[in-house]
């Protein structure tokens, strides 16, 4: 849900339900990497409320588009981390040391 972007599209607060610090901090990080962002922060209104408010202020671009771009960038980063980790696990499992130790439980 978007709040406060009725007049000036470069400033907006987005409310994400069923989320916490994990996603909010990652989105804040990617938003702060974007040169179009002048301010980004998040808050959790109450600890028992599963909701995060993310405030975005830009240099003039629509805040909604900047947030969308940052979420797409975050998805690419997660995809890269996941594939890098999977490759490292596969490399480890096929290494000679693991074969000698018989650690792999797939046998």
């Amino acid at each position: 849900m978007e709040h406060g972007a009725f007049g000036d599209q470069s400033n907006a607060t987005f409310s994400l339900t069923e989320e916490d610090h994990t996603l909010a901090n990652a989105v804040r990080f990617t938003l702060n990497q974007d040169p179009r962002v002048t301010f980004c922060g998040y808050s959790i209104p109450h600890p028992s409320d599963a909701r995060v408010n993310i405030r975005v202020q830009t240099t003039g671009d629509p805040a909604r588009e900047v947030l969308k771009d940052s979420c797409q960038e975050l998805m690419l980063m997660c995809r890269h981390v996941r594939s890098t980790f999977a490759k490292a696990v596969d490399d480890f499992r096929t290494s000679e040391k693991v074969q000698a130790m018989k650690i792999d439980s797939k046998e």
Side-chain angles (χ1 to χ4, degrees):
M1 177 186 295
E2 186 174 352
H3 303 284
F6 303 114
D8 185 6
Q9 298 293 315
S10 66
N11 301 314
T13 300
F14 302 91
S15 190
L16 307 176
T17 57
E18 302 302 321
E19 295 299 342
D20 60 10
H21 290 284
T22 306
L23 179 67
N25 197 37
V27 170
R28 181 199 56 80
F29 175 80
T30 56
L31 279 165
N32 280 324
Q33 301 301 311
D34 193 324
R36 300 174 293 175
V37 174
T38 58
F39 173 80
C40 174
Y42 76 90
S43 65
I44 295 181
H46 192 273
S48 66
D49 190 9
R51 186 180 60 173
V52 173
N53 294 326
I54 300 177
R55 177 73 178 167
V56 181
Q57 296 176 356
T58 70
T59 57
D61 294 85
R64 177 182 291 190
E65 294 302 315
V66 174
L67 177 66
K68 183 176 135 186
D69 292 346
S70 288
C71 289
Q72 290 174 340
E73 180 66 25
L74 181 59
M75 287 190 320
L76 290 174
M77 290 166 64
C78 290
R79 194 172 295 147
H80 173 73
V81 168
R82 185 175 41 199
S83 67
T84 302
F85 180 75
K87 183 184 180 320
V89 168
D90 289 342
D91 291 348
F92 176 76
R93 285 185 174 157
T94 59
S95 70
E96 292 178 19
K97 293 178 183 178
V98 173
Q99 300 287 336
M101 294 187 326
K102 298 186 184 208
I103 293 176
D104 200 1
S105 61
K106 290 184 178 181
E107 295 178 7

